Amino acid sequence: MKTPVQFSLNGEDVATFAEAGANLLDVLREAIGDLSVKGGCWQGTCGTCTVLIDGVPRLSCMTLAETVNGRSVETAAGLRNGADLHPLQNAFMERFAAQCGYCTPGMLMAAKALLDRNPSPSREDVVDALCGNICRCTGYEPIIQAVLDAARGGARRA
Ligand code: FES
Ligand code: FES
């Protein structure tokens, strides 16, 4: 049985039908076509599927799609402003904070949530915010430095 699901995705209203019990990760990718959201473990342990729901980082693989009805969902696909990358995306490039890139969308969204609520985080704040996101390539330091660079440059956008 399918259930209607309607929500705001990166500021645009979207509507679809989801199987009862479907998770948000699969609905975003398969029904909506937002392939910026990645699935790694589908078990709530890797963080690569992190999206923001009403501004709070959530694991989309652990979120029932029907629970986002009427809410705001943000994904990495919405970070860019036209041709302009988000400051976090620029900082990740400059710091070589992505290698295979698989973890990057989840890292970016967890970092965005941090900088939205705390524009001047300490290194410990960044480590704490990203502690649920696994990266198998970078050793984490470039990612931490990229988030701190973005904060220093003013990652919040008007
Ligand atoms: S795919 Fe969601 S935590 Fe790994
Ligand atoms: S860049 Fe490859 S898993 Fe993080």
Side-chain angles (χ1 to χ4, degrees), residues 25 38-50 58-62 102 132:
L25 168 59
K38 307 293 184 202
C41 65
W42 277 267
Q43 294 180 339
T45 59
C46 74
T48 196
C49 67
T50 302
R58 299 287 185 211
L59 300 175
S60 59
C61 74
M62 294 282 106
Y102 205 82

Side-chain angles (χ1 to χ4, degrees), residues 97-104 107 134-138 143:
Q99 289 183 25
C100 81
Y102 205 82
C103 70
T104 307
M107 290 285 186
I134 291 173
C135 177
R136 300 228 178 242
C137 305
T138 64
I143 295 172

Side-chain angles (χ1 to χ4, degrees), residues 67-98:
T67 64
V68 301
N69 257 318
R71 301 175 76 181
S72 160
V73 176
E74 293 171 68
T75 68
L79 285 175
R80 208 171 54 169
N81 186 9
D84 297 328
L85 294 180
H86 188 280
L88 277 164
Q89 293 173 306
N90 279 321
F92 269 58
M93 279 201 309
E94 284 161 12
R95 283 282 184 176
F96 299 102

